[in-house]
Amino acid sequence: MNPPRRILGIDPGLIITGYGVLDVSGVRPVVVEAGIIRTADDGADDMASKVLSVYNGLAELLAQFKPETMAVEQLYAHYDHPQTAILMGHARGVIFLAAAQHNLDVVSYAATQVKKIVTGNGRASKEQVQRTIQNELGLSTPPEPVDVSDALAVALCHYYHLKNFGG
């Protein structure tokens, strides 16, 4: 199997899902598109409309940019906030559904693994990740908001993983 030429990185969320599309066919990865999928944050607890917004936004990205693989940040569950993990699982579920419907391979990376591979420090701050992404991808400014830099970091992590370990 040939390595992918286009990687979509995803930082999943129910209110804001960050995404970053990298073209990795040249000497260095190039940002094709990066941004956020935002759902309504009106205080309403309409889970169905939130997951539908994430799904529809992602389906549009997949149709427009035609990535060959998707890298998604793994769910981080903290015992003090189990409800957050459950809610994030909803977002990841529709992200994986959209990927499956587009016949995309999906890989997941823990946030600490992404930070370690991209910055060299598994406990790097959000600002350190932003600066590293800016430098590694030759951007004029750090990607904003952090959801975008996190998504680009996941995509870049997968690129480095493939480059170093094949696959």
Side-chain angles (χ1 to χ4, degrees), residues 1-158:
M1 182 173 103
N2 292 332
R5 293 182 309 270
R6 189 163 279 181
I7 299 170
L8 172 60
I10 298 289
D11 178 36
L14 272 177
I15 306 299
I16 297 175
T17 293
Y19 67 88
V21 181
L22 294 182
D23 183 328
V24 297
S25 59
V27 175
R28 136 186 207 170
V30 174
V31 177
V32 175
E33 174 75 13
I36 59 170
I37 300 166
R38 184 183 299 273
T39 63
D41 187 17
D42 54 10
D45 213 12
D46 187 6
M47 182 63 65
S49 67
K50 288 182 192 299
V51 296
L52 182 61
S53 291
V54 172
Y55 174 82
N56 286 339
L58 189 57
E60 283 180 33
L61 289 171
L62 295 174
Q64 182 177 357
F65 296 107
K66 298 178 179 31
E68 294 171 337
T69 192
M70 183 188 300
V72 181
E73 186 174 301
Q74 279 180 356
L75 191 59
Y76 173 75
H78 194 279
Y79 292 112
D80 293 339
H81 306 284
Q83 183 72 18
T84 302
I86 293 167
L87 294 174
M88 293 303 293
H90 289 66
R92 282 179 49 90
V94 297
I95 289 165
F96 278 70
L97 172 63
Q101 288 178 331
H102 285 81
N103 297 314
L104 277 182
D105 289 330
V106 181
V107 293
S108 292
Y109 293 96
T112 53
Q113 184 180 15
V114 171
K115 291 176 182 181
K116 177 73 174 166
I117 290 173
V118 171
T119 71
N121 177 2
R123 298 195 184 276
S125 69
K126 295 281 189 186
E127 295 77 21
Q128 187 178 356
V129 171
Q130 285 178 299
R131 287 190 307 274
T132 301
I133 292 302
Q134 178 186 2
N135 292 333
E136 291 294 310
L137 298 176
L139 305 175
S140 58
T141 59
E144 292 280 346
V146 295
D147 311 272
V148 173
S149 60
D150 287 352
L152 287 168
V154 174
L156 192 60
C157 170
H158 187 54

